[in-house]
Amino acid sequence: MMDRLLTVDEAAEQLGTTSRFPRRLIAERRIRFVRVGRHVRIPASALSELIERGTVEPRRS
C-alpha cells in the first residue's frame, strides 16, 4: 500500500509548527522525503517515525 504524501504545509500542520520547521528537517536530511518533479513531499509514515524517535518516556520510580 502506498503511503500518503503530504505537502510541507500539511506536514507542518500535523506537527503543529510553521512550514519552516519541516523545510529545515528536509534541508538537514533529518526526515525522509520524496521529490515529485520540482515539488517536495513527505510520506505520512516519515512523520510518524520522526515523532516516535523524539518521544521521551517518563521515568519509572
Side-chain angles (χ1 to χ4, degrees):
M1 180 178 242
M2 187 167 209
D3 214 357
R4 180 162 184 261
L5 298 177
L6 306 171
T7 66
V8 171
D9 290 334
E10 290 171 332
E13 186 176 325
Q14 285 196 7
L15 292 171
T17 66
T18 65
S19 61
R20 189 174 176 182
F21 180 64
R23 287 186 194 283
R24 192 176 84 220
L25 293 173
I26 291 166
E28 295 173 357
R29 302 285 200 253
R30 293 174 49 202
I31 193 168
R32 285 185 298 115
F33 64 94
V34 178
R35 289 196 189 274
V36 182
R38 64 183 183 94
H39 303 282
V40 175
R41 298 292 183 257
I42 300 171
S45 63
L47 283 184
S48 298
E49 291 168 8
L50 177 75
I51 292 167
E52 191 171 320
R53 283 194 316 259
T55 301
V56 178
E57 295 295 328
R59 289 186 182 179
R60 305 269 191 245
S61 299

